[in-house]
Amino acid sequence: TAYEIKECDWSSDVCSSDLRSDSELLLIQDELRDRFGELPLNLQLLFSISRIKNQARSIGIKEILWGNGKVRISPVKLTNEELDKLSRLYSNSVYKIVTQTLIINYKSSNFMEQDLNSATSDAELLEWISSLISFITTLQPHTNTKPNSSGVN
């Protein structure tokens, strides 16, 4: 089964339509927990996806797709030096320069040794994707940020 997070779909998500910061997400989570007790795993996963969307949006990523053992992220602007760093950590990565798309096979990644079929594994996969986006941010955050309204960074 393939899953995706796309910019065009983000506004339709109940949990993330107007929540542009992790602090807003935490407030909603706390309120739900106060009213109803411990959150079900699927709701926790929804909040994790919302955090990943915020994280990706902050560096200009518009699409995250995963399924069939691979994750695809775009656009990601990488220099040759940044690509070398990425290749050392994720030896199974593929970077398509023309489309600025990064593809990593997470089934053979050092970080994902378990089978990813259960809900717990979904949580682990989302944590791994969040770590991957954090790593992309550390490579060269200014190349992936969106320009401000004046078009000047």
Side-chain angles (χ1 to χ4, degrees):
T1 305
Y3 301 93
E4 61 184 287
I5 301 175
K6 285 188 171 185
E7 185 177 45
C8 59
D9 297 329
W10 294 6
S11 62
S12 64
D13 286 352
V14 172
C15 193
S16 66
S17 60
D18 294 325
L19 303 176
R20 300 292 178 166
S21 72
D22 287 349
S23 61
E24 290 177 286
L25 286 170
L26 287 172
L27 287 172
I28 298 293
Q29 272 185 289
D30 289 343
E31 185 174 335
L32 288 171
R33 203 172 284 115
D34 286 345
R35 289 185 185 193
F36 305 108
E38 190 57 35
L39 302 178
L41 182 58
N42 287 339
L43 186 55
Q44 292 175 30
L45 293 175
L46 180 61
F47 278 107
S48 293
I49 289 170
S50 295
R51 276 190 291 282
I52 290 171
K53 288 177 181 183
N54 286 341
Q55 184 184 20
R57 187 183 294 117
S58 73
I59 60 170
I61 291 173
K62 296 181 180 179
E63 180 179 65
I64 302 172
L65 301 167
W66 71 91
N68 301 322
K70 295 180 182 177
V71 64
R72 185 177 81 189
I73 301 173
S74 68
V76 179
K77 300 173 188 171
L78 297 174
T79 64
N80 287 336
E81 182 180 314
E82 294 162 347
L83 193 53
D84 287 343
K85 287 179 188 177
L86 185 84
S87 295
R88 283 193 293 274
L89 188 57
Y90 303 102
S91 59
N92 55 355
S93 63
V94 174
Y95 181 65
K96 298 184 178 187
I97 295 171
V98 174
T99 59
Q100 297 178 333
T101 301
L102 176 62
I103 301 169
I104 297 178
N105 183 340
Y106 59 77
K107 289 281 189 174
S108 64
S109 168
N110 295 335
F111 295 99
M112 299 304 296
E113 297 176 0
Q114 300 178 1
D115 184 24
L116 295 169
N117 292 325
S118 69
T120 302
S121 294
D122 287 342
E124 292 169 357
L125 175 60
L126 291 172
E127 185 177 324
W128 181 82
I129 290 171
S130 179
S131 297
L132 175 61
I133 294 171
S134 293
F135 178 74
I136 292 169
T137 303
T138 63
L139 288 175
Q140 193 175 34
H142 62 277
T143 61
N144 286 310
T145 55
K146 295 179 183 178
N148 62 27
S149 58
S150 67
V152 178
N153 282 334

